[in-house]
Amino acid sequence: MEINKGEKLKNGSEKLFDKFRERLALNGATALICANRSDIAAHIADIAAREKKDGGRPVFHLSAHLASSSASSIETAIGSIEGAYITKSILDDNGIYIVPASALLIEDGALAVDSALCAHEETLFGDICVLIADGAEIYNNIIDFFAAISAGKSSIKAHNITIIAGPSKTADIEKQIVTGMHGPKKLYCMVINY
Amino acid sequence: MKVSLFVPCIMNHLMPESAYSILNIFKKCNIDFSIEKDQLCCGQPGYNMGYCEHSIPFARKFIDLYSKNECDYIVVPSGSCAAMIKHNYPKLFPGENLEWLTAKVVEFNSFMHDNKFYLKLDMKYKGAIFYHKSCHLLNEMNIDREPKEMLGSIKGLRLIEALTHQNTCCGFGGAFSASFGELSTEVGIAKLEFIMENKLKDIVAGDSGCIMHLKSVAMARGYKLNFYYIADFLDLCSN
Amino acid sequence: MALFLKDKNIININKNAKKALADKTLQANLKKATAEAVFKRNQAAAVSETFESSRDIAIAAREASISMLRKLSDEFVENCVKNNIKCFVFDDYESANAKITDLIKERGADFIVKSKSMLTEEIELNRHLKLNGIEAIETDLGEFIVSLAGEKPSHLTAPALHKSRREVARLFSEKLDMPYSEDPAQLSYFARRYLRDKFMSARVGLTGANFAVSDSGLIAVIENEANARLAINLPQTHIAVFGVEKIIRNLNDLPHFLNLLSKSATGQLLNAYTSIIGPPAEGKERFFIIVTKRRFEIAADPVFKEALRCIRCGACQNICPVFQRLSGHGYEFCYGGPIGTVLAPFFIGYQKCAELIDASTLCGFCKSICPMKINLPALILQHRFHYGADKKIKKPLFKHLKKLFSYLHSLIMSNNVLSRVIQPFARLYFKITAAVFGRNYIPRWSVFSKRDFIGMAPKTFMESYFTKNKKKSREKEGDKNGN
């Protein structure tokens, strides 16, 4: 499927999404597509259930720059999970961080985060990082992405780019992959597509 | 088509039977061949040790010898020697036009393959063999498809090769094998152990240098393996 | 002509090989890790739509940047200044180390958090900082392990490749007083907790840079653990140290390099984190220390400039049959493997590298796997030529013997008469060794119980073929005469 560079994801782009999901999985992360509000609620509940350990209460941190419609869906979803709560403060080392992703790089199975919209700590701290691609720019690959940046066609400034492809990981002890080395253990990407 | 066969040193001194295999194949394919009686080494040892000046006398003799020969091809049954002549001779004599020579020199595998001679051999074999991709054949001459297609054409043969991440050099490396005896030997042992782990007994290689090295290791280790230079094997299968 | 038998200055590859080969854990780790790395690299390259095209584009981009390195370097510094980044360019290690030390001291720090940087290994920054009372805390897990053990990294991208989980467990429990565990996940978690405190309290974070973009005054840092992101973003001051060859032209070139590096180094489509670093955030400060040592000289060399294409992925190490056994430490130089062999003579001198430059089978797999298609075997060979031809290099005895051997080979074997005359003597030699040792013995070649020698044929092909043919033609002539 041809992509108009930087175009937003729209209906009929399922094939593209399949490839993205497959590539993100190769990078050790999970892509979830949300076609409506109840999908968001289901995925959030699912992620919270994974995080909840031994009766602990799932803690969510919502980034200030999430798109307003998806933010309100997410808040509602969290509200309906038993014991879950939302905090504005940056917590060290636990919690589920929900932050906006500004671009999707399909072939690389990666996302670009704009540090003008998201503090670095928000994608570094916490056990789980959930990137919300709501109205994100879409590119075939990193090459098209940087071409758009350097031509000034993207809304992201070069020096604000962090490209994230998978959770924090290491293989420094006997090549065994361990996630959550210095950053999150798990990475999810929710593509809001409605 | 007239062909002149160049016999590399290792083949000449240590395994003359492989050169005879080539001649057998040539006869079976009705190839009009000759051999230059005064041929010598191609000069690679000195070159790879870093002394170009010591390879110049060899190169000079090679060039002079074949400048009088009116053959269409000089068939060189070794990736190493072929690369030396084709790629390095022009560097040794920068002012000289050696295109006539580099165009004539052809490695045995690509000669047999590209001219489709191997199809005339009507080859049969029963069982599996391991094909060792000789380094210079593969990495210097980019000859990989050719031997595999030839071996693949043998009826009843199961061809096994190492995937890239399992594939290594046999450890020979010319002077390297003497300067770094232990390292070189360990590389050879690993190669053979990989083959035995895969329960294979028969090894075909594209360069006699590899055969010589692997055989030498197998002898000391007491490994019961059969080694064939590719021409030996093609000849064997076409009987 | 000065002859000397043993020179402690010469990197003794044979001795290092003996030591490495005797270490069975190291051998097993190396074998597994290197094979897996090559496998993953091939997989990633096969999945990618753009890997091969990026190779050609990146090579052209690098060739261009190498050819105008001085100009690019000036332009880069100018653009960094515009970005409120302070840049310092040094040609020698001492000045670079001194400047970094001063910057840290001025900020009243007695320790820094540091992410992986090969350049800091090259300039031996940690040793220098220690002498000045500053502790450099390595935060990449592999580097952390290696520094705890008081060792040096053994691989470009997997610095603790040589350590087993048991060794790491012992190290953590002894040096850090952590509960003993051999579980990599548990060990990683211990290190995370220990290092997170350091990150939170550090005043200065120090990183390397994978690429520096000239036209926009930015650097790119790639990693998987997120330690570099923490070191860059948490402390007040960020210092990045890198070699001038890291500078590329523009943002259009950059993604091709990122594409190649992640796949070649660790077989990932992209590394977990790619950070583009520019102007410091408000209230923070950023410094770039650029080291030019020897780089301009290499860039001006018509042959060796190719070596500056290297993006430090370590693929050539993974596929190298020598590295797979010798390990990074055996090279006694911060860069090991084929690329290390190519760079070493420039940085530590030819004299020390007498054995190193010979320690390659020239098999050429490194050339094929190198994302930047550096002709590594040809460059290693070029070092051998230079070594042999340069009379100023003080050479050890074994090198003179090697040259003598090469000379005698040339003298005898390039002569039609001598090369035939010597045959019976060679056969006699093997007859004697067979009688004495029970096998064909060649000094330096024969390794007891591991490698014999197949021996010489009773007659060379040329001898047997031409006597046969002579007979045949004589018979033919005889037939003719008979008729």
Side-chain angles (χ1 to χ4, degrees), chain B residues 176 180-190, chain C residues 13-28 30-31 321-327 330 447 450:
Chain B
F176 173 86
F180 304 94
E182 299 236 4
L183 272 173
S184 163
T185 307
E186 290 297 334
V187 181
I189 292 175
Chain C
I13 300 292
N14 267 316
K15 190 175 133 208
N16 297 347
K18 220 181 195 94
K19 196 176 150 209
L21 288 168
D23 185 341
K24 295 294 165 215
T25 322
L26 173 68
Q27 291 302 313
L30 269 169
K31 187 182 171 189
V322 175
F323 183 91
Q324 283 168 2
R325 285 159 186 88
L326 189 56
S327 110
V447 182
K450 289 187 172 174

Side-chain angles (χ1 to χ4, degrees), chain C residues 401-468:
Chain C
L401 290 176
K402 235 178 189 177
K403 186 171 182 179
L404 180 68
F405 175 82
S406 171
Y407 171 71
L408 289 175
H409 174 265
S410 177
L411 186 77
I412 297 166
M413 299 309 282
S414 72
N415 181 304
N416 286 78
V417 179
L418 286 177
S419 65
R420 261 166 228 168
V421 169
I422 201 165
Q423 297 291 337
F425 292 101
R427 279 185 206 114
L428 179 68
Y429 167 81
F430 284 113
K431 258 187 199 151
I432 295 169
T433 67
V436 175
F437 300 105
R439 61 202 165 97
N440 297 318
Y441 178 82
I442 309 179
R444 296 194 67 88
W445 160 285
S446 299
V447 182
F448 178 69
S449 87
K450 289 187 172 174
R451 186 171 64 189
D452 290 345
F453 180 63
I454 59 169
M456 292 178 72
K459 263 187 178 178
T460 67
F461 170 78
M462 300 305 275
E463 283 170 335
S464 72
Y465 181 77
F466 283 101
T467 41
K468 256 188 220 168

Side-chain angles (χ1 to χ4, degrees), chain A residues 171-183:
Chain A
D172 276 340
I173 302 175
E174 292 193 1
K175 282 278 168 190
Q176 183 175 320
I177 292 174
V178 175
T179 66
M181 182 55 227
H182 285 290

Side-chain angles (χ1 to χ4, degrees), chain C residues 377-395:
Chain C
L379 295 183
I380 293 171
L381 195 51
Q382 199 64 37
H383 277 316
R384 294 183 190 172
F385 293 155
H386 184 267
Y387 185 98
D390 191 344
K391 292 205 169 64
K392 277 178 281 177
I393 302 169
K394 209 173 141 198
K395 292 164 188 146

Side-chain angles (χ1 to χ4, degrees), chain C residues 466-483:
Chain C
F466 283 101
T467 41
K468 256 188 220 168
N469 275 21
K470 222 190 233 167
K471 242 191 239 163
K472 258 189 214 165
S473 56
R474 219 181 280 145
E475 276 164 18
K476 269 185 195 166
E477 263 168 44
D479 287 349
K480 272 183 206 163
N481 292 346
N483 287 338

